[in-house]
């Protein structure tokens, strides 16, 4: 493996299995370092294509999303690092696919628990094809001031504290990603900082070893000294021991193998990593530390003394003139995300939508403050749900029952009315459910099903002003306005609409007051003296009875009642109810496989 530097300020990567935060952190690091181009060239999400919006400093950018590794590599031939955030179940297969791409040089596998046999195949393929695998079970790696893999080195605050926004003189390699963060900070306190840091991962078989990266660091001129943090278990450190003994490493190496406390336990101890388990004396931390010391590495007496040993080695290089002072600069501030700034109380931002009827932010959705579980436990019906979502209160059972009766009675009125006709014609034209439904709903208006609000509005105004039925009807006639809720094309005084009778019967039995309905009946009595078809229709019945519901329940103020009528709540009831029938007509036509409708010539009057 040896060779030298893996990354640079122009390195670009392909990110497998989209994760917003790690990608954004990479882009924030790029901006912090003053890179001209983002380090993430493309995102790979199997089966998906398009773009993902992220930020590069204050600028919002669109990063391409590709559906396959092959497509991404073809689209971004300069991207030679593959960052794999797949789960342990698919990490090996996707990593092997990436290694087989000629443009990919480095693969970082983040997942823990990748099967060891799969990892061995990846290692063998990478070594035979002169490619590098970092991981599995790794946080990744970082080249200070140049390139960062995923979440390496933690938060931006930590990166600034560790001076990772510009290169130092120390090459660092560890098995542990978490301890890497600790050592980046330690090294920054007593040296000029990291040049490159790698966490090889804690699995038994890492894709690359401690010695692989130490030998690389030895070939990088900017790296003046090397810090190594090993751990008990395995024999990786002994390959480093041999490399030092054979003179393959000619730069100072300060090393420590953690896990010396294992001897305090009477039985074998498994530490956090899969590979952190001593299988014998040679794999103990004490044996490895002694071997490294005997080979010529600087090994402190304890982890607590590690920092002092690093400082001593660095200061000696400075005294010898082998390290020049690094030019410090203040990195640019990373713009804070709006959500983060709001949570921290730094800014306030106006909302764009106001909602008072439902809330889905908690453990379960709430309708007008009532949790979904309570709705089910109390056996709420459709009428109860409408009372919560439309009226923002739980109405008495007779009110919600009336609402349900209205929905049942108005759900459909046969295939010949305009709404059903439109829906049928649209469905037979091969259109989808929503298109067929909407074509029928669009016919609802003053002439079809949309007179409920007007009926309520005019009946209420006339009754509240104390007009007699005669005065009301005649005043409407003078204005040239038909009385809403009165009149039917089919029904007559001697053949009344059964729906109207059912609604009135329910109201007389259950409502505390039916003053508006009785007034509407008196108006009907007068209009029938003029023509036998001027009978109360279902719009008039619902309109007048809803006024009684609102006024008689005692749960609404007069201004609230006026607002409900003005906004169009009552027509909303007809729209909701009739949608059931229109959907039924759509399904009916499609089930019957009816052909395209063409109106017959004989039903058209052709005239000049």
């Amino acid at each position: 493996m040896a060779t030298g530097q893996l990354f640079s300020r122009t390195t670009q990567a392909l990110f497998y299995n989209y994760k917003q935060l790690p990608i954004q952190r990479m882009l924030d690091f790029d901006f912090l370092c003053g890179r001209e181009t983002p380090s993430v060239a493309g995102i790979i999400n199997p089966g998906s294509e398009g773009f993902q919006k992220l930020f590069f400093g204050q600028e919002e950018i669109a990063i391409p999303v590709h559906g396959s590794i092959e497509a991404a590599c073809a689209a971004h031939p300069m991207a030679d690092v593959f960052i794999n955030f797949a789960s342990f179940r698919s990490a090996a297969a996707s990593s092997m696919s990436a290694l087989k791409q000629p443009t990919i040089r480095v693969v970082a596998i983040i997942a823990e628990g990748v099967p060891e046999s799969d990892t061995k195949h990846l290692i063998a393929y990478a070594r035979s094809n002169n490619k590098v695998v970092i991981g599995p079970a790794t946080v990744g790696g970082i080249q200070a001031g140049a390139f960062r893999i995923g979440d390496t080195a933690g938060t931006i605050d930590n990166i600034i504290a560790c001076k990772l926004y510009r290169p130092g003189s120390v090459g660092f390699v560890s098995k542990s990603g978490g301890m890497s963060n600790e050592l980046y900070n330690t090294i920054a306190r007593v040296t000029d900082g990291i040049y490159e840091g790698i966490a090889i991962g804690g699995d038994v078989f890492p894709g690359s070893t401690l010695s692989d990266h130490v030998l690389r660091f030895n070939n990088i001129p900017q790296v003046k000294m090397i810090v190594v943090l090993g751990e008990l278990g395995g024999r990786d450190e002994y390959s480093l021991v041999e490399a030092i003994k054979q003179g393959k490493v000619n730069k100072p190496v300060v090393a420590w193998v953690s896990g010396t406390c294992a001897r305090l336990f009477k039985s074998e101890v498994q530490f956090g990593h899969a590979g952190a388990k001593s299988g014998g004396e040679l794999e103990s931390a004490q044996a490895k530390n002694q071997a490294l010391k005997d080979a010529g590495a600087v090994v402190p007496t304890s982890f607590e003394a590690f920092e002092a040993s690093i400082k001593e080695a660095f200061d000696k290089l400075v005294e010898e003139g082998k390290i020049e002072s690094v030019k410090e600069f203040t990195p640019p501030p990373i713009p804070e995300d709006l959500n983060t700034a709001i949570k921290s109380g730094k800014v306030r931002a106006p909302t764009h939508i106001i909602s008072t009827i439902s809330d889905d932010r908690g453990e379960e959705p709430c309708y007008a403050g009532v949790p979904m579980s309570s709705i089910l436990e109390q056996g709420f019906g459709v009428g109860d749900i409408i009372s919560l979502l439309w009226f923002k209160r739980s109405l008495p059972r007779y009110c919600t029952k009336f609402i349900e009766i209205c929905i049942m009675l108005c759900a459909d009125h046969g295939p010949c009315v305009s709404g059903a006709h439109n829906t049928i014609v649209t469905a037979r034209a091969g259109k989808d459910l929503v298109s067929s439904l909407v074509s029928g709903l669009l016919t609802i208006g003053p002439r079809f099903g949309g007179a409920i609000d007007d009926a309520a509005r005019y009946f209420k105004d006339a009754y509240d002003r104390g007009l007699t039925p005669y005065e009301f009807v005649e005043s409407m006639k003078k204005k040239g306005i038909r009385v809403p809720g009165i009149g039917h094309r089919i029904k007559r005084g001697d053949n009344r609409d059964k729906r109207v009778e059912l609604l009135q019967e329910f109201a007389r039995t259950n409502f505390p007051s039916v003053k508006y309905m009785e007034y509407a009946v008196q108006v009907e009595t007068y209009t029938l003296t003029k023509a036998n078809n001027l009978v109360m229709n279902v719009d008039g019945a619902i309109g007048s009875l809803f006024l009684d519901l609102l006024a008689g329940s005692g749960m609404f103020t007069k201004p609230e009642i006026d607002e409900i009528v003005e906004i169009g709540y009552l027509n909303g009831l007809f729209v909701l109810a009739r949608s059931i029938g229109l959907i039924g007509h759509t399904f009916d036509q499609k089930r019957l496989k009816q052909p395209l409708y063409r109106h017959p010539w004989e039903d058209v009057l052709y005239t000049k």
Side-chain angles (χ1 to χ4, degrees):
M1 174 174 162
T3 63
Q5 194 162 304
L6 289 182
F7 315 118
S8 71
R9 287 175 62 84
T10 58
T11 295
Q12 286 200 301
L14 296 175
F15 195 103
Y16 187 89
N17 195 20
Y18 176 70
K19 305 287 183 187
Q20 190 265 338
L21 285 177
I23 298 177
Q24 187 59 64
R25 287 166 183 158
M26 289 179 67
L27 298 176
D28 287 344
F29 179 75
D30 297 341
F31 180 76
L32 192 74
C33 298
R35 280 185 56 132
E36 294 183 1
T37 55
S39 60
V40 180
I43 299 165
I44 304 166
N45 248 8
S48 300
E49 292 184 349
F51 293 88
Q52 283 288 350
K53 296 193 300 180
L54 294 122
F55 284 98
F56 186 59
Q58 286 188 317
E59 179 186 1
E60 195 170 23
I61 61 174
I63 297 181
V65 177
H66 304 278
S68 69
I69 294 171
E70 293 76 12
C73 290
H76 309 284
M78 301 304 293
D80 58 0
V81 177
F82 183 84
I83 301 173
N84 195 344
F85 265 75
S87 72
F88 70 92
R89 291 178 291 272
S90 60
S94 49
S95 296
M96 181 61 79
S97 178
L99 285 170
K100 290 181 178 179
Q101 303 303 311
T103 55
I104 297 299
R105 187 172 49 88
V106 179
V107 172
I109 307 171
I110 309 303
E112 295 184 45
V114 177
E116 292 177 2
S117 59
D118 291 339
T119 303
K120 289 178 180 179
H121 285 121
L122 292 172
I123 294 170
Y125 186 89
R127 290 191 182 279
S128 63
N129 288 273
N130 197 31
K131 298 194 177 189
V132 178
V133 174
I134 302 173
T138 181
V139 71
I142 189 168
Q143 182 172 322
F147 180 79
R148 172 194 193 187
I149 294 175
D151 296 315
T152 301
T155 65
I156 288 296
D157 289 341
N158 189 62
I159 284 173
I160 293 173
C162 297
K163 304 175 184 176
L164 292 169
Y165 54 85
R166 52 86 175 143
S169 304
V170 180
F172 171 74
V173 62
S174 166
K175 287 188 176 181
S176 169
M179 288 303 296
S180 293
N181 285 352
E182 179 69 26
L183 265 293
Y184 291 149
N185 200 283
T186 298
I187 291 168
R189 285 198 301 267
V190 296
T191 74
D192 62 2
I194 290 288
Y195 184 79
E196 184 185 319
I198 297 290
I200 66 171
D203 279 2
V204 177
F205 298 100
S208 51
T209 65
L210 297 173
S211 58
D212 286 335
H213 293 286
V214 169
L215 291 172
R216 270 198 319 104
F217 294 158
N218 196 64
N219 295 335
I220 300 174
Q222 295 92 329
V223 173
K224 305 301 182 182
M225 64 176 285
I226 301 165
V227 175
V228 180
L229 179 64
E231 63 185 22
L232 83 165
R235 303 198 175 189
D236 188 10
E237 288 82 358
Y238 289 106
S239 62
L240 175 57
V241 168
E242 291 304 312
I244 296 173
K245 284 182 177 179
Q246 294 170 14
K248 294 180 180 179
V249 182
N250 52 31
K251 296 177 180 179
V253 176
V254 182
W256 176 254
V257 179
S258 59
T260 54
C261 66
R263 283 188 176 175
L264 299 175
F265 298 93
K266 294 180 180 181
S267 59
E268 186 176 76
V269 178
Q270 171 73 61
F271 287 83
H273 294 149
K277 180 173 69 173
S278 179
E281 178 58 28
L282 279 176
E283 295 186 12
S284 69
Q286 285 84 348
K288 292 181 180 183
N289 280 324
Q290 188 61 51
L292 285 164
K293 185 175 182 179
D294 293 344
V298 176
V299 179
T301 56
S302 66
F303 181 77
E304 286 75 15
F306 202 13
E307 180 174 336
S309 296
I310 295 170
K311 183 179 189 305
E312 184 178 344
F314 179 79
D315 290 345
K316 184 178 179 182
L317 290 171
V318 173
E319 289 175 8
E320 293 172 352
K322 294 180 179 179
I323 293 180
E324 297 179 2
S325 60
V326 174
K327 185 178 180 180
E328 290 289 353
F329 71 93
T330 301
I334 301 296
E336 195 167 8
D337 289 340
L338 181 60
N339 288 340
T340 304
I342 291 174
K343 287 180 180 179
S344 64
K346 294 180 180 178
V347 299
R348 57 189 181 191
T351 56
H352 297 92
I353 293 176
I354 302 174
S355 176
T356 64
I357 65 170
S358 62
D359 191 337
D360 60 345
R361 293 172 298 175
E363 293 184 2
E364 58 179 321
C366 292
Y367 292 166
V370 181
M372 193 63 66
S373 57
S374 296
I375 289 173
L376 296 178
E377 289 168 2
Q378 296 178 49
F380 280 15
V382 172
D384 299 289
I385 300 303
I386 291 174
S387 76
L388 292 174
L389 293 178
W390 289 19
F391 302 106
K392 295 171 54 179
R393 65 206 73 189
S394 188
L395 295 175
R397 182 55 189 150
Y398 77 86
C399 295
T400 59
K401 180 65 176 176
F402 175 76
I403 292 172
E404 291 169 0
I405 291 173
C406 291
I407 292 173
M408 290 188 286
L409 296 180
C410 296
D412 192 52
H413 203 198
C416 298
V417 296
S418 56
H421 181 79
N422 266 24
T423 288
I424 290 169
V425 171
T426 306
R428 289 178 60 167
K431 299 292 284 185
D432 60 275
L433 171 63
V434 174
S435 300
S436 302
L437 171 62
V438 170
S439 70
L441 291 177
L442 287 173
T443 64
I444 296 176
R447 298 181 181 179
F448 170 63
I452 301 177
D453 282 313
D454 282 341
R457 189 176 298 113
Y458 282 111
F459 283 143
K460 183 177 186 301
D461 177 71
Y463 178 87
D464 290 351
R465 288 196 293 133
L467 298 180
T468 65
Y470 168 81
E471 292 171 331
F472 170 51
V473 174
E474 294 304 321
S475 65
M476 295 288 282
K477 181 179 179 181
K478 289 180 180 178
K479 297 175 185 176
I481 302 174
R482 295 177 181 271
V483 178
I486 297 293
H488 204 288
R489 295 193 64 182
I490 298 174
K491 298 299 179 180
R492 297 290 185 269
D494 55 355
N495 179 28
R496 296 172 185 271
D497 191 331
K498 186 65 177 177
R499 298 175 299 173
V500 173
E501 293 178 347
L502 290 170
L503 288 168
Q504 291 175 339
E505 180 182 347
F506 177 85
R508 287 193 174 102
T509 303
N510 295 279
F511 281 25
S513 170
V514 288
K515 61 182 182 181
Y516 288 107
M517 185 201 78
E518 295 296 359
Y519 182 75
V521 170
Q522 294 172 24
V523 171
E524 178 194 40
T525 301
Y526 177 71
T527 56
L528 282 173
T529 63
K530 292 178 171 290
N532 198 34
N533 70 324
L534 294 181
V535 65
M536 189 188 304
N537 56 41
V538 73
D539 293 346
I542 293 176
S544 60
L545 285 171
F546 233 104
L547 290 174
D548 287 321
L549 181 152
L550 297 171
S553 68
M555 300 185 71
F556 300 89
T557 64
K558 185 178 183 303
E560 285 178 325
I561 295 173
D562 292 338
E563 183 181 51
I564 287 169
V565 174
E566 186 62 34
I567 287 176
Y569 275 52
L570 310 188
N571 279 351
L573 198 62
F574 183 83
V575 170
L576 174 62
R578 191 50 56 94
S579 293
I580 299 171
L582 297 180
I583 291 171
H585 284 296
T586 301
F587 291 153
D588 190 42
Q589 296 303 306
K590 291 186 178 294
R591 182 173 55 248
L592 296 171
K593 297 180 174 58
Q594 289 298 285
L596 179 68
Y597 175 83
R598 178 181 173 84
H599 203 70
W601 289 336
E602 58 268 22
D603 195 37
V604 176
L605 172 62
Y606 294 94
T607 184
K608 294 182 180 180

